[in-house]
Amino acid sequence: MIKKEEIQSKILQAAQEVFTKYGYGKTTMDDIAKAMGKGKSTIYYYFTSKEDIFKAVVEKEFLLMKTTILTEIAAKEDPREQLKIYVVERMHGLKRLKDLYHILRTEFIAHHEFVEQFRQQTDQEEINIVTGILNTGVERNIFYLEDTFLTSIAIVTALKGMEIPLLITETDGDSLLEQRLDRLLDVLFFGIIKR
Amino acid sequence: MIKKEEIQSKILQAAQEVFTKYGYGKTTMDDIAKAMGKGKSTIYYYFTSKEDIFKAVVEKEFLLMKTTILTEIAAKEDPREQLKIYVVERMHGLKRLKDLYHILRTEFIAHHEFVEQFRQQTDQEEINIVTGILNTGVERNIFYLEDTFLTSIAIVTALKGMEIPLLITETDGDSLLEQRLDRLLDVLFFGIIKR
DNA sequence: TAATTTTGGACCGTTTTAGTCTAATAGTCG
DNA sequence: CGACTATTAGACTAAAACGGTCCAAAATTA
């Protein structure tokens, strides 16, 4: 019974591959089936519809991004470092999920109920993460903030609205990345977070 | 009556856009029509079928590559320079037309008669270009060759067979490009062309 | 204005699509 | 092994999308 999730994961992997390749409308169920080397009935044994699969792909990827962020954050002590990691991982995640995002914004927008609910949910989760970091910082007298919740909303919204992934290239060395991030954080949050 | 070719060119441009985006099988005539902002009948007024349009796109692009090469070559005197230009432009052309090439090799291969005939024709034209360059070089005692025709075939075939576009990146400066090309020509044609 | 070119979009027969059904196979466990 | 369940391929269906046609209207030209 351990295989069940393995196969499900394989389907999602194959689906993500063809979705990002063809877009939502242009991919057929047979495309997905072929990409994973199995028949269509295998897919329908685990999922109820194409829509269902796409939603699962999106949720899987964003869950992965969230857990990655949380794990990395947990490994750091200093809230300043934690905030930096949140920004870095958020940017890398956005870059990796660019195609899925694009489908959500353009093709899948017809399913507004899902898109809207998903957006709200992920926003809420991210705000919670950042609020947690900020609260710790305030407790330890590292950040001096009047309202950590409102500040979190500002940070999350700022990161969403800006095409920040473009600022960081894959060939950037670590040191360059560090410099840019420090500058970025200064620009973004100067006056909100004083250190 | 001058507009006629303009519209035809617009159709081909839109078609190329969606063909390289979706591939041959996944693009619909409505996709093309939508991409150029006109109805389907406009397309069928100028072209007879989807197949017809794709062939026209391919032929247009390869004609462009050919005339570009010929123009650049005509601007140079030294056959060594001309040969170098041929290699450079051929590489850049291949890189730009990567998607079309891929469709030809994978999806359009069912129309073997067209693909094969087109391949032979373009090969022939390229061999003629290179033969012209080599002949001039021999006449001026710059190249010492026994058979310019066979040498041309060797050069054209070598360029086709190798994934040469990968050797040159867009960020290469001119001097680096020059160095690499000299090295490449040495490796490719050492023993065939002595200077 | 009259003739001609160009266009949108309804339309048609055919193919492809998402999704269903079934019968066969693979895997599990006593 | 043998009874049971989980998994699978692929035939099938109704609906949608497809390439391509057609024609009346609009735009252009003369």
Side-chain angles (χ1 to χ4, degrees), chain A residues 7 37-39 41-42 45-46:
Chain A
I7 296 171
K38 289 286 170 75
S41 61
T42 307
Y45 184 76
Y46 290 101

Side-chain angles (χ1 to χ4, degrees), chain A residues 58-123:
Chain A
V58 169
E59 272 158 1
K60 183 198 75 174
E61 281 302 323
F62 278 82
L63 181 63
L64 178 66
M65 184 168 86
K66 184 186 156 195
T67 51
T68 305
I69 290 176
L70 285 177
T71 310
E72 300 256 332
I73 282 175
K76 298 277 179 184
E77 271 290 324
D78 188 341
R80 280 176 296 227
E81 291 295 316
Q82 290 181 333
L83 194 60
K84 201 188 280 186
I85 282 187
Y86 165 75
V87 176
V88 176
E89 288 301 330
R90 192 60 176 59
M91 284 193 260
H92 279 140
L94 269 184
K95 196 172 180 183
R96 201 167 53 82
L97 303 182
K98 202 172 44 166
D99 291 329
L100 285 184
Y101 251 123
H102 187 251
I103 294 174
L104 272 176
R105 276 198 311 265
T106 56
E107 291 189 75
F108 215 69
I109 202 73
H111 306 72
H112 19 267
E113 77 294 342
F114 171 77
V115 176
E116 195 53 29
Q117 192 194 314
F118 182 73
R119 196 186 60 74
Q120 281 182 21
Q121 189 202 316
T122 50
D123 280 6

Side-chain angles (χ1 to χ4, degrees), chain B residues 9-64:
Chain B
S9 154
K10 257 192 178 172
I11 293 175
L12 291 183
Q13 214 175 302
Q16 184 169 357
E17 192 183 298
V18 287
F19 277 140
T20 57
K21 194 169 163 191
Y22 298 138
Y24 183 76
K26 294 268 181 187
T27 48
T28 70
M29 296 303 277
D30 285 305
D31 285 337
I32 301 174
K34 208 174 164 190
M36 71 173 296
K38 289 288 169 70
K40 235 186 338 185
S41 62
T42 308
I43 295 173
Y44 279 100
Y45 184 77
Y46 291 99
F47 296 93
T48 65
S49 66
K50 184 179 169 183
E51 195 183 311
D52 186 29
I53 294 177
F54 182 71
K55 288 177 180 174
V57 168
V58 169
E59 271 158 0
K60 183 199 75 176
E61 281 301 322
F62 277 82
L63 181 64
L64 178 66

Side-chain angles (χ1 to χ4, degrees), chain A:
Chain A
M1 296 300 132
I2 315 144
K3 262 175 74 182
K4 201 163 189 168
E5 272 145 28
E6 237 175 76
I7 296 171
Q8 233 166 343
S9 156
K10 258 193 178 173
I11 294 174
L12 291 183
Q13 213 176 305
Q16 185 171 357
E17 191 183 298
V18 287
F19 277 140
T20 56
K21 192 170 164 190
Y22 298 137
Y24 183 76
K26 295 269 180 189
T27 46
T28 70
M29 296 303 277
D30 285 304
D31 285 336
I32 301 173
K34 207 173 162 189
M36 71 171 297
K38 289 286 170 75
K40 231 181 351 179
S41 61
T42 307
I43 296 173
Y44 278 102
Y45 184 76
Y46 290 101
F47 296 93
T48 64
S49 67
K50 183 178 167 181
E51 194 183 314
D52 185 29
I53 293 177
F54 182 71
K55 289 176 180 174
V57 167
V58 169
E59 272 158 1
K60 183 198 75 174
E61 281 302 323
F62 278 82
L63 181 63
L64 178 66
M65 184 168 86
K66 184 186 156 195
T67 51
T68 305
I69 290 176
L70 285 177
T71 310
E72 300 256 332
I73 282 175
K76 298 277 179 184
E77 271 290 324
D78 188 341
R80 280 176 296 227
E81 291 295 316
Q82 290 181 333
L83 194 60
K84 201 188 280 186
I85 282 187
Y86 165 75
V87 176
V88 176
E89 288 301 330
R90 192 60 176 59
M91 284 193 260
H92 279 140
L94 269 184
K95 196 172 180 183
R96 201 167 53 82
L97 303 182
K98 202 172 44 166
D99 291 329
L100 285 184
Y101 251 123
H102 187 251
I103 294 174
L104 272 176
R105 276 198 311 265
T106 56
E107 291 189 75
F108 215 69
I109 202 73
H111 306 72
H112 19 267
E113 77 294 342
F114 171 77
V115 176
E116 195 53 29
Q117 192 194 314
F118 182 73
R119 196 186 60 74
Q120 281 182 21
Q121 189 202 316
T122 50
D123 280 6
Q124 192 56 60
E125 287 172 359
E126 289 195 66
I127 289 169
N128 288 343
I129 292 173
V130 176
T131 309
I133 296 173
L134 294 186
N135 279 337
T136 317
V138 168
E139 279 164 25
R140 298 191 195 161
N141 278 328
I142 293 170
F143 298 148
Y144 303 91
L145 296 168
E146 298 216 344
D147 190 330
T148 54
F149 181 62
L150 279 184
T151 309
S152 301
I153 292 178
I155 292 173
V156 170
T157 310
L159 283 178
K160 270 166 51 95
M162 294 168 62
E163 288 255 341
I164 292 176
L166 299 175
L167 290 177
I168 294 195
T169 70
E170 280 169 27
T171 52
D172 274 351
D174 271 354
S175 65
L176 187 56
L177 196 71
E178 286 265 325
Q179 282 175 32
R180 286 200 192 184
L181 265 179
D182 281 338
R183 214 162 55 227
L184 184 70
L185 288 174
D186 281 347
V187 171
L188 275 180
F189 311 125
F190 183 73
I192 301 177
I193 299 170
K194 296 167 198 141
R195 346 178 200 172

Side-chain angles (χ1 to χ4, degrees), chain B residues 72-126:
Chain B
E72 299 256 333
I73 282 175
K76 297 279 178 182
E77 272 290 323
D78 187 343
R80 281 177 295 229
E81 291 295 315
Q82 291 181 332
L83 195 60
K84 201 188 278 185
I85 282 185
Y86 165 75
V87 175
V88 176
E89 288 300 331
R90 191 63 176 54
M91 285 193 258
H92 279 139
L94 269 185
K95 196 171 179 182
R96 200 167 53 82
L97 303 181
K98 205 172 39 164
D99 291 330
L100 286 183
Y101 251 124
H102 187 251
I103 294 175
L104 273 176
R105 276 198 310 267
T106 56
E107 290 190 77
F108 216 68
I109 202 74
H111 306 72
H112 19 265
E113 75 295 341
F114 171 77
V115 175
E116 195 53 29
Q117 193 195 313
F118 182 73
R119 195 186 59 76
Q120 281 182 20
Q121 189 202 317
T122 50
D123 281 7
Q124 192 57 60
E125 288 172 358
E126 289 195 67

